[in-house]
Amino acid sequence: TCSAGDSQTVVIGLAADSGCGKSTFMRRLTSVFGGAAEPPKGGNPDSNTLISDMTTVICLDDYHSLDRTGRKEKGVTALDPRANDFDLMYEQVKAIKSGVAVDKPIYNHVTGLLDPPELIKPPKILVIEGLHPMFDERVRDLLDFSIYLDISNEVKFAWKIQRDMAERGHSLESIKASIEARKPDFDAYIDPQKKYADAVIEVLPTQLIPDDNEGKVLRVRLIMKEGVKHFSPVYLFDEGSTISWIPCGRKLTCSYPGIKFHYGPDTYFGNEVSILEMDGQFDRLDELIYVESHLSNISTKFYGEVTQQMLKHADFPGSNNGTGLFQTIVGLKIRDLYEQITSSKTAAPLEATKA
Ligand code: ADP
Ligand code: G6P
């Protein structure tokens, strides 16, 4: 009797530049929903999609309209809207949202070509992650919640060096050059999407160490829009107050440079927001429970769930700092949002009979 309401997919958008922690975030998110996401079985081994019981994560690179050669010929980057097919993206996300399976293209990151499509069935939660989930107004309007990972240039550089130099053998100069080459299009097409995001995770160099340029200790800000349906911002101690908190002492071990939290109301691109900030890193992850117990509206199902999730994935990058903490909390908020949306749908027919 409530099948119509059940079939609707909740759609989440996650925007960030590549190499900025989207896949790590997705692993934390799918873990909150209980179950690791894996590539679809029996399909193209180069598929970028990840499927678990609850979630399907689509990489928006699959909507490249120009392949690598096409981009070279036309002189456009992958960040340029002209290299992406927003009409198809819109059609397919809309179809999935309304319960219809689609044949989604696959962009092969190895060959730089478009592979034959794969069938995507409507999941309970669809995450579209990539460079442009909030670029096209039609696609944006389909999103039930949107997140932007805002990694400052200093930190992006530090992460790229770590990965591309250590793991892929690139030179420092070539890493610098590739970041510089992307920057104009990044500034023009990717960065402006953050004003539409319901939550932004901003990652900056620490302020606890004067003139730090190592990018190891991070200052992370969770910017949460007020008035978003099914989403109530997290707060520290007292909702709406402005609070600075140094939890180091008898209950929390902190080595240099320590940990500092900040919380308060603010504005972001003209919107009212709440901002929760953590600068520094945890020495002992199990002591995170002390911090967790002072946060409210974190949408946990039991006491200590944030700490449990963080301990479970202690090996993921960012687990000892605000990136891991805030990604985990946003994951819990998305679970809450999903449960609210689905329960309001099943409740709707009842209300209708009342009227
Ligand atoms: P994306 O999916 O956006 O390309 P990944 O999640 O694969 O990004 O992360 C890319 C690299 O960036 C990782 O291999 C790691 O080196 C670094 N990284 C990502 N998130 C963090 C973090 N929170 N702290 C430190 N390094 C990180
Ligand atoms: C970005 C995009 C990828 C693209 C890469 C390099 O990271 O997300 O889809 O493959 O840029 O682009 P290129 O044009 O050099 O293949």
Side-chain angles (χ1 to χ4, degrees), residues 10 16 23 74 99 122 187 235 247 306 308:
V10 172
S23 18
K74 292 225 161 59
D187 291 344
Y235 65 89
V306 171
Q308 189 205 57

Side-chain angles (χ1 to χ4, degrees), residues 16-28 129 149 151 155 158-160 162-163 167 203 215-216 218 316-321 323-324 327:
D17 202 357
S18 57
C20 285
K22 293 187 299 293
S23 18
T24 310
F25 190 3
M26 284 305 100
R27 289 199 287 164
R28 291 191 196 278
E129 62 96 350
L149 292 185
I151 314 298
V155 176
W159 288 0
K160 278 251 185 221
Q162 184 185 309
R163 185 181 69 174
E167 295 165 28
V203 184
K216 288 225 169 67
L218 301 175
F316 288 6
S319 288
N320 65 342
N321 64 38
T323 60
Q327 287 175 4

Side-chain angles (χ1 to χ4, degrees), residues 250-303:
R250 285 198 193 105
K251 290 179 184 149
L252 195 78
T253 319
C254 293
S255 60
Y256 181 81
I259 299 176
K260 191 170 173 184
F261 278 86
H262 189 81
Y263 162 75
D266 212 324
T267 56
Y268 185 77
F269 292 99
N271 293 307
E272 292 218 17
V273 295
S274 285
I275 303 184
L276 177 65
E277 174 179 320
M278 175 184 163
D279 196 348
Q281 55 196 32
F282 302 109
D283 279 344
R284 295 192 37 185
L285 213 46
D286 53 339
E287 290 176 348
L288 176 61
I289 188 73
Y290 178 65
V291 170
E292 179 176 354
S293 66
H294 289 82
L295 293 170
S296 300
N297 266 353
I298 45 179
S299 300
T300 49
K301 295 219 190 237
F302 54 87
Y303 179 73

Side-chain angles (χ1 to χ4, degrees), residues 14 38 94 123 143-144 170 172 211 224 246 252 270 282 333 336:
L14 172 64
E38 313 209 356
K94 189 172 80 163
L143 301 176
D144 293 293
H170 298 186
L172 192 65
D211 303 316
M224 299 163 280
I246 296 176
L252 195 78
F282 302 109
K333 298 303 294 182
D336 193 347

Side-chain angles (χ1 to χ4, degrees), residues 26-27 30-31 35-39 50-53 55 57:
M26 284 305 100
R27 289 199 287 164
T30 47
S31 166
E38 313 209 356
L50 291 174
I51 297 177
S52 72
D53 286 351
T55 58
V57 182

